[in-house]
């Protein structure tokens, strides 16, 4: 599967309207105690709406008979999880316990304040680093929107280790890889190498998920006008848990060319 151009998630009976997400985002913002809803919050709400569309698609067959266990990695102020809890999951008929994790205590304090103010159950927030924070296990779903560089890799590793069936991950900033470009004949142009570096890191993440037994897709979950960081890795563990025969071999070949990917 390749990188699809931005398109709406495949059609589903459940529709999450942008207007509803904006209303929910306003409620969350007010519960934070903020008097303003500016351009930054507006853009975040649009990102959350587009992410929500992908959740509707990914979770279409998720069980309704029990509560799902969800991780929001690098949750920040958790606008995604609040909108999921207020709108997306109820629309799907899914009950969930969502655990948000972020390393910044102030952000987690804000999340707790919002959950209290909106009287929302099924949400808890923990201060910690994704590399080593205690997580519920097994997980059903793991999502992360714009986890900073290595936090994305920590998130993916923890989500896989905790057995998450669904993983939806939108990487943010990437570390820069340098080795291998000369040997591969890539132009000595910083901008091109920087972009290629981002794509290579995401390609390695894609293959690592496949090698762990997931069916993976890379989609542009939102238009570039909403966020330039708009590549989503969308993964679902296969029933057999068996990786495609060539995933590990592909990863090894890629890492031979670009050693920092190993
Ligand atoms: C760009 S913000 C995104 C926040 C939120 N997901 C959103 O979309 O608004 C990245 C967040 O990752 C958190 N973060 C960075 N590295 C982390 C790590 N290793 N473990 C946990 N949180 C981390 C930061 O504190 C920050 O809140």
């Amino acid at each position: 599967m390749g990188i699809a151009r931005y398109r709406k998630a495949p059609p589903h009976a459940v529709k999450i309207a942008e207007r509803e997400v904006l209303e929910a985002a306003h409620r969350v913002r007010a519960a934070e105690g903020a008097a303003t809803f500016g351009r930054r919050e507006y853009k975040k709400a649009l990102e959350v709406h587009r992410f929500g569309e992908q959740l509707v698609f990914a979770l279409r067959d998720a069980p309704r008979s029990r509560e799902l266990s969800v991780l929001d990695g690098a949750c920040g102020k958790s606008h995604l999880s609040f909108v999921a809890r207020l709108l997306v999951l109820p629309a799907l008929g899914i009950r969930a316990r969502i655990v948000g994790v972020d390393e910044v205590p102030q952000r987690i304090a804000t999340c707790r304040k919002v959950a209290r103010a909106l009287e929302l159950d099924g949400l808890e927030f923990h201060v910690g680093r994704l590399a080593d924070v205690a997580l519920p296990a097994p997980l059903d779903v793991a999502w992360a929107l714009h986890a900073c560089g290595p936090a994305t890799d920590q998130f993916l590793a923890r989500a896989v280790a905790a057995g998450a069936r669904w993983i939806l991950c939108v990487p943010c900033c990437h570390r820069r890889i340098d080795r291998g470009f000369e040997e591969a004949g890539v132009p000595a142009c910083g901008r091109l190498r920087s972009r290629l570096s981002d794509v290579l890191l995401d390609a390695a993440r894609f293959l690592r998920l496949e090698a762990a037994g997931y069916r993976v897709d890379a989609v542009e979950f939102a238009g570039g006008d909403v966020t330039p960081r708009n590549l989503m890795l969308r993964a679902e563990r296969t029933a057999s848990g068996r990786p495609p025969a060539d995933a590990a071999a592909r990863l090894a070949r890629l890492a031979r060319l670009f050693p920092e990917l190993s």
Side-chain angles (χ1 to χ4, degrees):
M1 291 189 216
I3 295 179
R5 283 190 60 74
Y6 168 56
R7 55 169 194 265
K8 285 201 170 297
H12 188 274
V14 171
K15 299 267 179 273
I16 305 296
E18 197 176 286
R19 176 186 46 77
E20 291 178 295
V21 171
L22 280 165
E23 282 168 11
H26 270 95
R27 283 181 67 195
V28 172
R29 184 75 178 145
E32 286 172 0
T36 56
F37 191 92
R39 186 173 164 72
R40 181 203 294 252
E41 288 74 34
Y42 178 70
K43 284 207 140 207
K44 179 57 65 182
L46 295 186
E47 286 174 18
V48 165
H49 172 255
R50 308 306 193 259
F51 202 116
E53 289 182 318
Q54 297 294 334
L55 279 177
V56 166
F57 172 67
L59 300 182
R60 63 199 180 282
D61 297 327
R64 270 55 172 179
S65 54
R66 63 177 176 85
E67 191 179 74
L68 300 189
S69 171
V70 178
L71 166 67
D72 181 348
C75 60
K77 290 197 272 176
S78 295
H79 286 202
L80 173 59
S81 285
F82 283 117
V83 169
R85 170 65 183 78
L86 286 164
L87 271 181
V88 181
L89 298 177
L92 287 166
I94 291 174
R95 288 175 299 116
R97 171 181 170 235
I98 304 174
V99 175
V101 171
D102 200 282
E103 65 179 3
V104 176
Q106 185 53 44
R107 296 201 180 123
I108 292 299
T110 303
C111 295
R112 290 177 179 150
K113 176 175 156 182
V114 171
R116 266 195 314 276
L118 297 180
E119 298 182 353
L120 292 173
D121 57 9
L123 282 163
E124 49 187 88
F125 299 98
H126 300 289
V127 178
R129 292 182 64 79
L130 280 163
D132 48 22
V133 70
L135 292 178
L139 283 173
D140 293 295
V141 191
W143 61 60
L145 173 56
H146 291 158
C148 316
T152 285
D153 296 301
Q154 294 162 14
F155 163 79
L156 290 172
R158 296 300 300 278
V160 169
R165 175 168 161 195
W166 296 274
I167 300 177
L168 292 97
C169 173
V170 177
C172 190
C173 43
H174 293 66
R175 73 187 160 96
R176 173 79 187 270
I177 62 169
D178 292 310
R179 292 168 56 204
F181 287 128
E182 276 308 306
E183 294 77 356
V186 177
C189 164
R191 192 169 300 270
L192 280 180
R193 287 189 175 191
S194 162
R195 287 200 181 192
L196 187 55
S197 168
D198 289 3
V199 172
L200 287 169
L201 285 160
D202 287 331
R205 290 166 172 157
F206 186 117
L207 289 170
R208 253 181 232 114
L209 284 167
E210 279 199 332
Y214 286 79
R215 192 174 57 245
V216 192
D217 204 354
V219 296
E220 291 191 345
F221 82 108
D225 52 337
V226 172
T227 171
R229 303 278 182 196
N230 63 350
L231 185 79
M232 169 183 278
L233 295 174
R234 197 176 62 196
E236 180 173 354
R237 193 160 33 76
T238 57
S240 69
R242 217 174 301 125
D246 63 346
R250 277 180 189 275
L251 186 56
R253 287 212 303 276
L254 202 59
R256 269 200 297 280
L257 281 172
F258 303 99
E260 287 153 292
L261 298 178
S262 56

